[in-house]
Amino acid sequence: MRILCLGDSIMQYNDFSTFPQTGWVQELERFFPRNVEFLNFARNGRSTKSYIEEGRFAKVLGIARRGDFALIQFGHNDEKSADPDRFTSPDKDADKSENKSFRANLEFFVDEFRKIGVRPILLTPVARRKFDGGVLVNSHGAYPQAIIETAKKCSVPCIDMTTLTTELLQTVGENDSRRFYMNFDAGIYANFAGGKDDNSHLRPEGAYEVSSLAAEKIAGLGAESDDYKEISDAVLIGKKKAEADNDKDIDDEFVIFK
């Protein structure tokens, strides 16, 4: 099974040069068997508009195969109204020319994938860590709802990561949730010796928490649609919990090399 991942820097794979920044999909692999292949096509700074116009989506279509699944998560950069190369409107009546409509672009992704037998899943963006008086601020505006409504219109699954991560951050709190993001003091990481004040991008612990939330929702998709039973059944969370409940040791060699 293959899982294609399309999105921006919150999802993108990071190597040693940007550590500890971690795209959340890097941790999602922990929740699937080793024989599940993740193809991460997410790129920093991209919106649905720039992803299409740069030819990135066309390249994904050229690699995609019938039976693949696709996780599609945009929003952070579509919101940038001062940048005409990336901005798209979440409004229902937005201009669809030149990829200016966020909803139309999402529909385009879904329709093109379906033509070749790829099964898409839309995800709302991960919440930014922006608190006001101890309450998390909704910094994504109308975009999450636009994704939810587009998914319903196209009859594809939608995982509301905005709501899930908002609830997580609100529960953990303003101070303790700092460890999830690229928000840290000087002298901790060699790549960012002067520290960092970034409440959008994730560190490994944050990526893991986001992935855990996503994996739990993916595990339930099979109950909603037989088309998604394969990816749903592949999630390891329930299987590992059953092993733990039965006091069974996990055979690491079997898990990795079977």
Side-chain angles (χ1 to χ4, degrees):
M1 183 173 70
R2 304 197 316 172
I3 301 176
L4 316 177
C5 305
L6 291 71
D8 51 38
S9 56
I10 312 303
M11 181 185 274
Q12 175 177 309
Y13 174 84
N14 287 258
D15 63 15
F16 73 96
S17 65
T18 51
F19 183 82
Q21 185 169 321
T22 306
W24 69 267
V25 167
Q26 290 179 251
E27 294 294 323
L28 185 62
E29 296 184 25
R30 296 179 182 272
F31 296 91
F32 287 84
R34 295 284 291 180
N35 61 352
V36 174
E37 184 179 1
F38 283 82
L39 284 71
N40 194 336
F41 298 102
R43 289 295 179 270
N44 287 346
R46 271 57 181 192
S47 68
T48 58
K49 177 182 173 69
S50 61
Y51 203 86
I52 293 169
E53 295 189 346
E54 290 177 3
R56 294 185 180 277
F57 184 58
K59 290 181 179 178
V60 175
L61 289 177
I63 296 171
R65 298 196 302 242
R66 179 171 296 277
D68 289 344
F69 293 91
L71 303 179
I72 305 169
Q73 183 182 56
F74 287 94
H76 275 82
N77 299 300
D78 287 83
E79 301 169 9
K80 297 182 177 180
S81 57
D83 186 349
D85 291 333
R86 293 187 287 181
F87 174 71
T88 65
S89 172
D91 296 341
K92 289 183 179 180
D93 59 351
D95 181 2
K96 295 181 181 180
S97 67
E98 298 179 357
N99 304 314
K100 294 178 181 178
S101 169
F102 182 60
R103 295 171 186 249
N105 291 346
L106 292 176
E107 287 186 41
F108 175 67
F109 291 150
V110 170
D111 291 343
E112 292 302 304
F113 273 139
R114 278 179 160 167
K115 287 178 184 177
I116 59 173
V118 174
R119 293 162 285 185
I121 301 167
L122 296 182
L123 300 94
T124 61
V126 174
R128 295 185 179 96
R129 180 183 166 273
K130 183 179 180 181
F131 283 84
D132 182 12
V135 178
L136 195 73
V137 175
N138 171 21
S139 64
H140 289 304
Y143 288 86
Q145 187 60 32
I147 297 169
I148 293 169
E149 292 177 2
T150 301
K152 184 176 181 179
K153 178 181 178 181
C154 296
S155 299
V156 295
C158 179
I159 300 177
D160 188 1
M161 296 305 299
T162 304
T163 295
L164 292 171
T165 52
T166 294
E167 293 172 351
L168 170 67
L169 294 175
Q170 196 69 65
T171 298
V172 174
E174 183 172 3
N175 292 328
D176 289 345
S177 63
R178 190 169 183 248
R179 71 183 188 273
F180 295 155
Y181 291 80
M182 290 287 287
N183 193 325
F184 44 80
D185 298 331
I188 298 177
Y189 298 105
N191 282 331
F192 303 93
K196 192 79 172 171
D197 185 15
D198 177 349
N199 292 304
S200 295
H201 298 95
L202 302 166
R203 281 193 267 175
E205 189 168 357
Y208 179 85
E209 291 295 334
V210 171
S211 293
S212 177
L213 294 171
E216 288 184 10
K217 292 300 181 181
I218 292 172
L221 295 182
E224 301 174 14
S225 170
D226 287 342
D227 288 342
Y228 293 86
K229 193 173 188 304
E230 181 184 6
I231 191 172
S232 179
D233 289 348
V235 178
L236 295 172
I237 292 177
K239 300 177 180 65
K240 290 297 179 65
K241 186 177 187 303
E243 290 180 359
D245 290 344
N246 292 328
D247 197 26
K248 294 180 180 178
D249 291 331
I250 296 175
D251 185 344
D252 294 332
E253 291 189 1
F254 177 76
V255 170
I256 295 173
F257 297 110
K258 66 178 180 180

